Amino acid sequence: MHPFSYTKASDLEGALAAGRRGGRYIAGGTTLVDLMRESVERPGALVDISALPLGEITATAGGGLRIGALVSMAEAAADPKVRATFPVVSQALELSASAQLRNMATIGGNIMQRTRCAYFRDVTAPCNKREPGSGCAALEGFNRAHAILGGSDQCVATHPSDVAVAFAALEASVHLRGPDGEPSVAFADFLLRPGGTPDREHGLRPGELITAVELPALPRPLRSGYLKVRDRQSYEFALTSAAVALHIKGGVIREAKVAAGGVGTVPWKLSAVERHLIGERPSEALWAEAAERAADGARPLEHNRFKAELLKRTVERQLRIVGGSE
Ligand code: SF4
């Protein structure tokens, strides 16, 4: 491992100042330390933010929730408010990683985790995300796990987070702290598609820090849940996943929030599916018709053509589960 300095921030202002000087924030360290060991990441200075007061989950006016960036995945999954208000979030967290990792990893770090593309983690392979301009080994290589939505001719890596899919579905916002005060950014705008700059993965600027993720107040009753399809039942990333939340009143779907994981370069909001559901009465035919739109715009690669059909079936099944007919 290359040499680096380490400091532990005791307050927010100190952390922000260290960030402005080029320090990389670390909390649970479950991604960054691995990548440093493999020389994929080579930060010169680490700023440990684990002691900052960002570990609370609080209710917001109207029935939303604000989850501090340093809440661990395990704490968020077990929190009674999260479980009662947004089961889709607790389920996504419980289906992620391993119990040990969920105890260490934080909500902020989970959003910021880097792709599991094997070529990204192999420093002998060309990878535009790791080394801009070097090429993309996945485009002509083994791309079974890669994205069918949101890719570019520079990068087709999927975003690996599960809970970020739930955040995308629910239209969460990300609260920041930095030189411009305390802005909040729509989750949909926070994570960036690769385009021509796959090394730029998010909208954070140097010296900015995620302080919380806010889940908006949504009409009640709200049924929600997360379904993950993977090669094995534990400690594996999604081939496809679906986060669904439905507000059904008077037998009619009034609100539908749907997003997919494992298929996009960012958590993929399924707006066409949502539009098809709103104003309709739940039925087997409706779930199937809506899910048919899940892979709109997909551009499969040589080894991941199966994902488009698998995505439709994942979404249909989860609509049926959350909608109450399974
Ligand atoms: Fe790198 Fe992206 Fe290509 Fe993977 S898909 S090798 S992360 S550029």
Side-chain angles (χ1 to χ4, degrees), residues 218-308:
L218 291 171
R220 301 281 157 179
L222 188 75
R223 305 177 191 171
S224 74
Y226 186 72
L227 178 65
K228 179 173 181 176
V229 178
R230 46 190 166 170
D231 282 327
R232 57 183 183 186
Q233 275 306 307
S234 72
Y235 198 32
E236 184 58 281
F237 293 87
L239 289 170
T240 59
S241 70
V244 171
L246 299 175
H247 169 54
I248 303 173
K249 195 173 176 192
V252 174
I253 300 168
R254 313 283 173 170
E255 289 265 10
K257 307 289 184 193
V258 188
V263 290
T265 51
V266 293
W268 205 257
K269 184 76 159 156
L270 296 177
S271 303
V273 174
E274 294 174 344
R275 283 195 298 274
H276 194 81
L277 294 169
I278 292 171
E280 301 293 334
R281 292 184 173 275
S283 71
E284 289 298 308
L286 181 69
W287 307 140
E289 289 163 11
E292 204 42 50
R293 289 152 173 80
D296 283 1
R299 289 172 50 197
L301 305 160
E302 184 180 356
H303 304 114
N304 67 5
R305 295 186 192 286
F306 70 97
K307 278 195 175 185

Side-chain angles (χ1 to χ4, degrees), residues 31 35 41 112-116 120-121 129 160 201:
T31 295
L35 294 173
E41 295 250 30
M112 299 289 283
Q113 68 180 293
R114 312 224 43 205
T115 182
R116 307 306 295 194
F120 171 73
R121 286 163 188 260
K129 190 181 278 298
E201 296 177 338

Side-chain angles (χ1 to χ4, degrees), residues 115 117 119-120 126-129 136-138 146 154-157:
T115 182
C117 172
Y119 300 110
F120 171 73
C127 172
N128 290 321
K129 190 181 278 298
C136 172
H146 288 72
Q154 298 283 304
C155 179
V156 286

Side-chain angles (χ1 to χ4, degrees), residues 68-87:
L70 292 177
V71 174
S72 74
M73 292 171 68
E75 288 166 341
D79 184 87
K81 297 187 289 298
V82 175
R83 296 184 85 80
T85 320
F86 298 108

